[in-house]
Amino acid sequence: MQDQFQRHIDYLRISVTDRCNLRCRYCMPAEGVQWMPHDSILSFEEILRLMRLSTQLGFRRFRITGGEPLVRKDILGFLSEGAQLPGVEDLMLTTNGMLLPEMAFDLKAAGVQRVNISLDTMDPERFHDITRGGDVSRVIQGIFRSLEAGLKPVKINVVVVRGFNTEELPSFLTLAKQYPLHVRFIELMPIGISSEHRTDFVSIKEMKELLGIKDYIPTQEIPGGGPAEYFRPSGFKGSIGFISALSRHFCNTCNRVRLTADGKLRACLHSKHEVDLREALRNGSSDRDVLELLAQAVWRKPAQHHMNDEAWQDKRVMSQIGG
């Protein structure tokens, strides 16, 4: 369906849990966050109902996120049911990759078509420090298991932070050159804990200068409904992409809304304004009533984000709003 600004909205990001098996420094504080009570989280049956209804409004792309979605019990069964819903054309997953070595083939069998893997550093000590205990070798193993399983494309999300991983950008470039992987360099967004690191921001323009590529050849062949601008340099098996949320925002082409783990529909990542679908699902509302709430939320999607306006923001961390 279209919103009031004539954008075609067909992409729903669904957080199935706020829990995570890592404690990344720019995502949550050292003491962690208070997890949502179990009964606050939407059940898989409730999420499947929302997916089924949303296809009636024209939603076709569904990305499953967390927290870390693979830590939720019975996630494979849910994914299998979701992939079989009429109207679901693209079922995707975003993960930190820690559980992919064991689960990549099962995800493919369940109907997941492709994965995005968050990996900001390939240095073992640096990864252990930024994630407060993670093992980067498992993530790298998970990347290649995903390729072996036939998940396609496999995309690597790299949030670029000054003084942390800028010198590693050429290493990620080598990864995309030698393997059919699609590495996306992402500007740090001021959300939750990461808002404390504004001086660490690196623009897409500077990233390109650090990479030193001369022949940025645009490519449109990478599947996905997201905002990345892709390039395939000469001789590369994969590609590189850039997501510029701050220096050149993509709000005029944004095609997505987000469902938080506790059932709030958020039309813009950077807005605290939400529609409570959990209440509608649990108070006996008819399908027609829920559809009306969905349609109203999409119609009221703001023209652009207001990430620098505190009146629009809340203090929840990314794992709590489906990052």
Side-chain angles (χ1 to χ4, degrees):
M1 67 174 292
Q2 288 189 335
D3 66 8
Q4 61 181 311
F5 304 102
Q6 288 73 57
R7 292 172 297 197
H8 183 64
I9 312 299
D10 67 347
Y11 188 167
L12 178 60
R13 290 181 61 110
I14 300 171
S15 172
V16 296
T17 181
D18 65 324
R19 300 179 184 240
C20 188
N21 50 356
L22 295 177
R23 299 289 182 273
C24 296
R25 292 183 180 275
Y26 58 76
C27 183
M28 63 179 69
E31 66 273 16
V33 295
Q34 184 174 355
W35 304 126
M36 297 175 186
H38 180 73
D39 59 1
S40 296
I41 303 295
L42 290 184
S43 68
F44 283 144
E45 291 76 17
E46 289 169 331
I47 297 173
L48 289 167
R49 181 185 177 193
L50 288 175
M51 290 177 67
R52 174 177 58 82
L53 291 174
S54 67
T55 62
Q56 297 180 36
L57 297 176
F59 283 87
R60 296 291 179 263
R61 303 170 183 268
F62 297 86
R63 177 170 297 283
I64 309 304
T65 71
E68 170 50 48
L70 296 183
V71 303
R72 181 159 176 180
K73 185 179 179 181
D74 299 326
I75 184 68
L76 291 172
F78 159 72
L79 292 169
S80 181
E81 289 190 58
Q84 296 176 53
L85 288 173
V88 175
E89 296 177 359
D90 197 359
L91 185 64
M92 308 158 274
L93 186 89
T94 291
T95 173
N96 61 33
M98 292 290 290
L99 298 177
L100 280 178
E102 296 83 14
M103 298 183 70
F105 280 82
D106 290 333
L107 289 171
K108 178 66 175 179
V112 174
Q113 292 162 284
R114 49 201 178 90
V115 291
N116 287 9
I117 302 167
S118 300
L119 180 62
D120 300 327
T121 175
M122 291 185 284
D123 180 272
E125 292 186 6
R126 190 174 289 166
F127 185 88
H128 186 273
D129 177 65
I130 194 67
T131 60
R132 297 190 177 100
D135 180 359
V136 74
S137 67
R138 288 193 55 80
V139 182
I140 294 173
Q141 183 185 359
I143 290 171
F144 290 101
R145 287 287 285 177
S146 297
L147 289 175
E148 293 170 12
L151 292 164
K152 187 176 181 180
V154 175
K155 299 178 181 179
I156 312 300
N157 291 340
V158 185
V159 177
V160 180
V161 181
R162 188 179 310 282
F164 171 67
N165 62 355
T166 45
E167 73 273 20
E168 285 193 68
L169 267 58
S171 298
F172 282 104
L173 196 66
T174 300
L175 201 63
K177 182 175 184 179
Q178 296 180 347
Y179 303 98
L181 297 168
H182 307 281
V183 178
R184 294 118 57 84
F185 299 106
I186 304 171
E187 290 179 344
L188 179 68
M189 291 182 284
I191 299 175
I193 299 299
S194 66
S195 64
E196 302 171 5
H197 300 274
R198 289 175 182 263
T199 59
D200 300 335
F201 173 78
V202 181
S203 70
I204 297 299
K205 180 178 183 294
E206 185 177 351
M207 291 180 205
K208 290 181 177 180
E209 293 172 353
L210 290 168
L211 288 168
I213 296 176
K214 303 301 181 183
D215 57 339
Y216 279 102
I217 305 170
T219 179
Q220 304 294 327
E221 65 189 55
I222 314 302
E229 180 184 22
Y230 288 101
F231 301 88
R232 190 187 296 277
S234 177
F236 274 52
K237 292 183 178 180
S239 72
I240 57 173
F242 298 95
I243 299 179
S244 51
L246 283 180
S247 62
R248 186 171 63 85
H249 70 75
F250 41 81
C251 298
N252 63 324
T253 59
C254 183
N255 62 346
R256 68 190 62 188
V257 294
R258 295 168 178 260
L259 181 68
T260 65
D262 58 346
K264 309 301 192 298
L265 193 71
R266 179 177 282 222
C268 176
L269 171 63
H270 305 283
S271 169
K272 65 183 179 183
H273 301 291
E274 301 170 329
V275 174
D276 190 348
L277 294 179
R278 184 185 66 190
E279 174 62 24
L281 292 169
R282 295 182 180 180
N283 69 9
S285 295
S286 67
D287 284 357
R288 182 174 181 178
D289 291 338
V290 177
L291 275 170
E292 182 62 26
L293 284 174
L294 278 165
Q296 288 179 9
V298 171
W299 180 255
R300 294 171 182 167
K301 182 176 172 68
Q304 63 183 48
H305 66 65
H306 298 269
M307 69 173 68
N308 293 315
D309 185 346
E310 290 191 5
W312 283 73
Q313 299 175 21
D314 59 29
K315 300 302 181 183
R316 287 183 293 176
V317 300
M318 283 292 282
S319 65
Q320 294 174 313
I321 56 177

